[in-house]
Amino acid sequence: MKKIVLFIFLIATSLCAFSQNGGKKGAYRPETGSHTVISKKIHKEHGYLPYKKNRKSRANDCSDFGSGGSGYQKETFVTANVSYSMKPSAAFGVTFGMMRRFGWFVSVMSSPNFKSFSTDGEFDRDNAAETKPFLKGDSYRKDTRLSFMAGILFRVAQPVALRVGAGYGIDEMCYEATDGQWFKDKVNCQKGLDTSLGVQCSFGSIVVSADAVATDFKRLEAKIGVGYSF
């Protein structure tokens, strides 16, 4: 009876040791292509993880599109933006995003007013046959700008990343007439696809960005941003 109990005890002890070591093959090390039993101390000091866990952690990291082993530090950033077009007109907004080697961002821009959404009519300045309203001039002009955009980032160097974005934009212009009514300038009104191409740089915790933005591939504007990463 004692021999049977001793035999069972030895089997249980062996199974416990086997399970703590992760099996005979141990943890898989992708850089060596072999299975090695790695202690908890090595896990902590060198960052080795069993293959399945490491693969899972990368897949769940939305800041790197599944490439968590890139070696770049994860970065969450927010910037305040201002844009200026050739009309000239300005808009203001904010951008938020996350990245490691790859990343994503969302951006919202708006002008201070939306007068073009409630005009009394419109005119085509290029149509000579059309009767134009009597306008007060450029001093009584209002611009409406809205932009909703999302995009991706790709880090080309440690502090520098390229940005590409797409979304929906509205860029419109209207004038006040001598009778107090407001008329939309059809030639200077665009709405549709917003696209952007730019660069983003990180200087410690400070983030600076610059983009060229096109609305409906007709109206161009420059957008800059300054913010903070954490």
Side-chain angles (χ1 to χ4, degrees):
M1 185 65 181
K2 291 183 179 181
K3 292 183 179 181
I4 295 175
V5 173
L6 179 61
F7 180 71
I8 294 174
F9 175 77
L10 290 174
I11 292 176
T13 304
S14 300
L15 290 174
C16 290
F18 180 83
S19 62
Q20 288 177 358
N21 288 331
K24 293 181 180 180
K25 290 185 177 181
Y28 180 72
R29 296 176 63 178
E31 68 274 18
T32 63
S34 61
H35 292 79
T36 306
V37 176
I38 305 173
S39 67
K40 292 183 179 180
K41 182 178 180 181
I42 296 177
H43 276 290
K44 184 176 181 180
E45 293 180 353
H46 301 285
Y48 291 124
L49 292 174
Y51 175 67
K52 291 183 179 179
K53 290 184 179 179
N54 200 27
R55 180 175 59 184
K56 183 177 180 181
S57 65
R58 291 199 302 265
N60 292 336
D61 192 346
C62 61
S63 67
D64 209 23
F65 298 119
S67 300
S70 62
Y72 292 99
Q73 185 176 359
K74 183 177 178 180
E75 178 180 334
T76 302
F77 61 88
V78 59
T79 62
N81 305 316
V82 59
S83 65
Y84 195 78
S85 71
M86 297 176 64
K87 283 186 175 182
S89 63
F92 308 90
V94 64
T95 297
F96 174 80
M98 298 173 63
M99 71 175 302
R100 186 172 275 137
R101 183 176 184 184
F102 297 93
W104 57 268
F105 70 91
V106 292
S107 179
V108 179
M109 301 291 294
S110 173
S111 61
N113 71 82
F114 308 98
K115 186 61 181 179
S116 69
F117 293 168
S118 59
T119 56
D120 301 293
E122 58 184 24
F123 68 95
D124 186 348
R125 64 173 63 240
D126 291 341
N127 186 355
E130 181 183 287
T131 302
K132 309 294 190 300
F134 292 98
L135 306 177
K136 290 184 177 181
D138 286 340
S139 298
Y140 297 87
R141 189 193 82 196
K142 292 188 180 295
D143 301 288
T144 298
R145 174 65 171 142
L146 278 176
S147 177
F148 304 94
M149 192 176 300
I152 60 174
L153 300 99
F154 172 70
R155 199 187 296 271
V156 295
Q158 182 61 38
V160 181
L162 296 179
R163 297 159 48 109
V164 179
Y168 182 77
I170 298 173
D171 192 353
E172 297 180 334
M173 178 187 296
C174 62
Y175 290 87
E176 186 180 7
T178 55
D179 59 0
Q181 292 185 316
W182 286 85
F183 292 86
K184 188 183 299 185
D185 185 351
K186 292 172 61 177
V187 173
N188 288 295
C189 291
Q190 284 80 35
K191 61 175 61 177
L193 180 66
D194 252 11
T195 55
S196 71
L197 178 63
V199 63
Q200 179 170 306
C201 300
S202 301
F203 304 98
S205 59
I206 303 300
V207 177
V208 179
S209 64
D211 298 270
V213 183
T215 301
D216 199 27
F217 299 103
K218 295 177 182 178
R219 181 68 61 186
L220 293 175
E221 68 179 5
K223 182 171 75 172
I224 60 174
V226 179
Y228 183 78
S229 67
F230 49 92

